[in-house]
Amino acid sequence: MSQGAHAIPFTITSQLSGDIRPDSPDNLFINVTITGDTTSNVALWTVDINSPLHPNAKLDEFYFNLTGLASDYVFSNFSPVDWAISAPATVQGAGGAAFMFEALDPAGPPNAADVTNTVNLTFTMTASSLLTEAVFLDAPTALSNDAGSGQLGAHLQSLTTAGNCGNSTNCSDSGFLFGNYEGDGGGGGGGGNIPEPASLLLMGAGLVGFGLARRRKSA
C-alpha cells in the first residue's frame, strides 16, 4: 500500500427476482450484498433468499459474472461449509443464459446444507488484484432466450405454486431469478467530489479578501 493511502469501503447490492415466463412462479426474491474496500483484494458475499410466500424455497444454484477471467478469482470460507463455486457455470432452467461462475447446492445428506429463507449463503472472494466497484458493475450480462437477463442468476426449488403463478394452470415448483449489480459510489468511479488545486486557491483568496473587508469595516 502506498504511503498515505486509505481504504475506501464499498458495498455492491443486487435484488434478484423471478423470470418473465408465464409458468414460472411469481414473488421470488433474493438479496445479494458484497462488501469490500479499495485497498484490499478480498470481498465478502451474502446471498439471502427473501421469498416469504415460498416458505420451503431452497437455493439449487447461484450464478454470477465478474470482469476479467475466472482464474482471477478464488472463493473460500463457505457457509454452509459444503458449498463450492465452479467455472464455467452449467446453467439450469434459464433459457440458454451463460454465466461465468456457479455456486452449487452440494450432494450429500438431504437438507444438510440447504440455503433457505432462514439460512444465508456466505463466502469470501479473493481477487488477483485490488478490487473496485467496476469488477462487478462492468461485468457482462447473461442473456436468456425466453426468461430475461442479468449479471447474476439463481435457481430456486420447492416453491409454492398456489397463488404464485398468475392465471397459469401449469405452474412450476422451481423458478429462475435474474438481477444486476448496484453500487453505492464508494469505491468504483471515485466516490465524492474532491476540489481541484485551482479551486482551493480561489477559495483561499476569497477567504483572505473577506477577512480584509471585515478589518476595514471595523477600523
Side-chain angles (χ1 to χ4, degrees), residues 60-84:
D60 197 38
E61 297 100 8
F62 173 65
Y63 307 98
F64 57 97
N65 288 331
L66 299 170
T67 58
L69 303 174
S71 57
D72 293 336
Y73 306 96
V74 175
F75 303 94
S76 60
N77 300 324
F78 290 90
S79 177
V81 295
D82 291 330
W83 281 72

Side-chain angles (χ1 to χ4, degrees), residues 120-209:
N120 294 341
L121 171 65
T122 62
F123 56 89
T124 300
M125 181 182 87
T126 304
S128 59
S129 59
L130 296 182
L131 288 172
T132 67
E133 287 184 326
V135 167
F136 308 95
L137 301 181
D138 294 344
T141 298
L143 301 174
S144 166
N145 56 31
D146 64 354
S149 62
Q151 295 167 310
L152 307 95
H155 186 217
L156 291 180
Q157 292 187 330
S158 302
L159 303 179
T160 302
T161 58
N164 285 303
C165 229
N167 296 322
S168 174
T169 58
N170 191 33
C171 192
S172 173
D173 64 354
S174 66
F176 202 88
L177 301 83
F178 285 103
N180 290 304
Y181 298 111
E182 296 183 10
D184 65 355
N193 295 323
I194 300 174
E196 296 181 0
S199 299
L200 292 174
L201 288 174
L202 289 172
M203 185 184 300
L207 290 173
V208 170

Side-chain angles (χ1 to χ4, degrees), residues 47-111:
V47 181
D48 175 16
I49 299 176
N50 186 23
S51 302
L53 294 182
H54 300 272
N56 298 316
K58 297 189 299 183
L59 182 62
D60 197 38
E61 297 100 8
F62 173 65
Y63 307 98
F64 57 97
N65 288 331
L66 299 170
T67 58
L69 303 174
S71 57
D72 293 336
Y73 306 96
V74 175
F75 303 94
S76 60
N77 300 324
F78 290 90
S79 177
V81 295
D82 291 330
W83 281 72
I85 289 176
S86 60
T90 303
V91 183
Q92 303 290 328
F99 287 92
M100 179 183 290
F101 293 105
E102 172 184 12
L104 181 64
D105 185 8
N111 306 319

Side-chain angles (χ1 to χ4, degrees), residues 214-219:
R214 286 181 59 86
R215 289 181 61 185
R216 292 194 188 100
K217 186 175 181 179
S218 60

